[in-house]
Amino acid sequence: MTFSATGPFPRRVVITGLGALTPMGLSAVETWDNVLAGRSGIGPMTRFDPSEIKSKIAAEVKGFDPLNFMSRKESRSLDTYSRFGVAAVQEAIKDAGLEFSREDIQRVGVTISSCVGGIEDYTNSVKTLLKRGMQRVSPFLVPRMLVDSLASRIAVRYGLQGPTMGVTTACSTGLTALCQAFDQVRFGSVDIAICGSSEAAIVPPMVAGFDAMGVLSSNNDMPEEAAKPFDNERDGFVIGEGCGIMIMETLEHARARGARIYAEVAGGGMSNDGNDMVAMEKNGIGIQNAMRVALYHAKQLLGIDASDVDYINPHGSGTKLNDKVETHAIKGVFGEHAYDVNISSTKSMMGHLMGAAGSVEAIVAVKSVDEDTVPPTINLHTPDPDCDLNYTPNVAQQRPVQAAMNNSIGLGGNNTSMIFSKPD
């Protein structure tokens, strides 16, 4: 291998391809269009019988046929979360116009993560073990269930030889994967990164566990209106599934091949509350720290400061505590400018995609920069007095978006924040 990275470091990083598979659509384009229209992807749960638990709704991917993206043989060797990923990666690579025959495959990395990996296959294997015995468990179980199995699958599928990994930080996993890929590209480990996250965790153990925690909405009669981030009547989040993938590369590399550039990656920050495995620290110190680090990087790299951020896609889960604390944290970082920023939680439409949430919501932030349009927070009719910022209620808004911030918060106190800006 001839090391071909060029300085000076850090290098500028841009986004040239997007791919998504979500409750809002089977592509990034369809997802974005439905998000702007304020449509809901939430409905009755169909993956299993939820009659024993309080929450009976979910944001499921609908109409997905893996055979449109892979052979029947390959599909049988994958967990659903990997099937989602294979489809979204195909879209992102095509969108970016990448041809790996023209690239140094040792300079292409894959960072694709999941919160719980192949939990569907694991759950089914436990059932098989209990009913039919240990010798009936599939030999494919282990490679299908690993959190990094999708990343490795993509590397094998395209013959890529750069660093390949899955990282997990609970529900902030998707944004953490993007943050790690950003660092790999800007500091010269790779020239191109296929990055993002995928999740297919609408399975009995996961849903029952969240239901027992009391964090899921039980507005079963009106599923489309169940997710109400920042609304005074909110009663929890709606579990979802999906995948979001980006192609990141150096600005130099993208220009050399004439690629279309959606946005530039301006900064990223990560932190931990150091407080509790479940509850956020009451002042949001952890997510404030992540936002401040992202802003510090953006200032150093591109001269972007807090006053240049026009849109924030927050974690915005719809739980009583988190929305209030995140609002307080945004005020703590942005001061009076917090009231000038448009904020919107797309979890109001597509639910909480767990490990995939951060990467899909980052795609929304990137598209807002690219199209100068802010999507809405739907179902926001009775504002919470403690949540008094501009959450873009119910209708999308056109406005200049020079830079957008995306926040993700995970169990265990994990926080990640990233900033995307208009390219030169």
Side-chain angles (χ1 to χ4, degrees):
M1 174 180 177
T2 301
F3 186 70
S4 59
T6 57
F9 296 99
R11 304 182 298 175
R12 293 172 66 180
V13 181
V14 295
I15 297 163
T16 57
L18 303 173
L21 192 72
T22 75
M24 307 297 290
L26 301 181
S27 68
V29 173
E30 187 180 5
T31 295
W32 174 245
D33 288 346
N34 284 325
V35 163
L36 286 190
R39 299 188 179 100
S40 175
I42 299 170
M45 193 178 298
T46 66
R47 293 285 187 268
F48 65 91
D49 178 8
S51 59
E52 295 183 31
I53 56 177
K54 295 185 291 293
S55 181
K56 308 179 193 306
I57 54 178
E60 300 175 346
V61 171
K62 294 166 278 292
F64 173 62
D65 184 353
L67 300 186
N68 291 331
F69 303 93
M70 66 200 80
S71 68
R72 188 177 301 277
K73 180 180 179 180
E74 183 178 13
S75 177
R76 290 178 62 187
S77 71
L78 302 177
D79 182 90
T80 298
Y81 102 100
S82 290
R83 295 187 191 106
F84 288 170
V86 168
V89 166
Q90 283 187 40
E91 181 190 4
I93 290 172
K94 181 178 180 181
D95 188 42
L98 279 175
E99 296 182 25
F100 293 121
S101 61
R102 299 180 179 179
E103 303 294 341
D104 181 350
I105 57 174
Q106 294 178 324
R107 303 285 303 155
V108 183
V110 185
T111 302
I112 304 178
S113 301
S114 177
C115 185
V116 291
I119 193 170
E120 180 184 59
D121 211 57
Y122 177 76
T123 300
N124 291 336
S125 294
V126 170
K127 292 178 182 178
T128 298
L129 185 151
L130 294 175
K131 289 182 179 180
R132 303 174 64 191
M134 296 177 68
Q135 292 188 346
R136 304 302 297 177
V137 173
S138 169
F140 298 110
L141 169 62
V142 175
R144 283 195 293 224
M145 65 175 279
L146 296 176
V147 170
D148 67 339
S149 62
L150 172 55
S152 297
R153 169 68 61 169
I154 296 304
V156 169
R157 203 171 201 264
Y158 294 98
L160 306 175
Q161 297 177 0
T164 299
M165 67 189 70
V167 295
T168 182
T169 55
C171 296
S172 61
T173 287
L175 208 57
T176 299
L178 300 183
C179 211
Q180 293 295 305
F182 171 48
D183 283 348
Q184 288 181 22
V185 178
R186 68 177 174 143
F187 290 122
S189 296
V190 298
D191 297 321
I192 302 170
I194 303 171
C195 50
S197 57
S198 184
E199 202 80 270
I202 305 177
V203 295
M206 282 292 293
V207 180
F210 279 123
D211 193 73
M213 290 170 65
V215 296
L216 296 182
S217 172
S218 56
N219 192 355
N220 301 313
D221 294 334
M222 296 181 289
E224 297 87 358
E225 300 178 18
K228 304 174 184 288
F230 307 108
D231 190 273
N232 202 43
E233 304 300 320
R234 65 189 184 277
D235 70 334
F237 67 82
V238 177
I239 194 168
E241 61 184 1
C243 180
I245 300 293
M246 288 184 180
I247 306 297
M248 290 186 190
E249 56 187 297
T250 67
L251 176 61
E252 179 184 41
H253 188 278
R255 284 176 171 169
R257 69 182 188 87
R260 180 245 172 99
I261 296 174
Y262 284 101
E264 185 161 359
V265 187
M270 294 179 287
S271 72
N272 195 282
D273 290 357
N275 177 69
D276 190 88
M277 282 300 297
V278 177
M280 286 184 70
E281 192 277 327
K282 64 180 181 180
N283 293 310
I285 296 300
I287 188 60
Q288 285 194 51
N289 289 341
M291 287 188 279
R292 292 185 195 281
V293 173
L295 285 165
Y296 172 80
H297 288 163
K299 182 68 172 180
Q300 297 299 312
L301 291 172
L302 300 175
I304 291 172
D305 59 29
S307 63
D308 296 310
V309 175
D310 299 304
Y311 171 54
I312 299 173
N313 187 299
H315 187 66
S317 61
T319 61
K320 283 290 186 181
L321 177 64
N322 283 25
D323 290 0
K324 177 180 175 179
V325 172
E326 190 173 10
T327 296
H328 178 78
I330 291 170
K331 292 178 186 178
V333 172
F334 287 89
E336 287 301 313
H337 182 61
Y339 292 91
D340 299 323
V341 176
N342 274 78
I343 302 168
S344 66
S345 173
T346 40
K347 288 184 177 71
S348 63
M349 292 170 272
M350 65 178 74
H352 191 339
L353 307 188
M354 311 306 295
S359 57
V360 171
E361 289 159 9
I363 289 173
V364 171
V366 166
K367 289 293 290 181
S368 73
V369 170
D370 183 51
E371 297 192 8
D372 288 318
T373 307
V374 174
T377 302
I378 68 169
N379 302 323
L380 182 47
H381 303 295
T382 310
D384 182 341
D386 291 323
C387 300
D388 60 345
L389 299 177
N390 178 10
Y391 304 105
T392 319
N394 303 306
V395 179
Q397 180 180 335
Q398 289 191 322
R399 63 162 291 172
V401 181
Q402 175 63 32
M405 174 180 278
N406 185 204
N407 292 337
S408 278
I409 299 167
L411 294 177
N414 293 298
N415 308 286
T416 308
S417 181
M418 292 192 76
I419 298 172
F420 308 97
S421 66
K422 284 196 183 303
D424 289 342

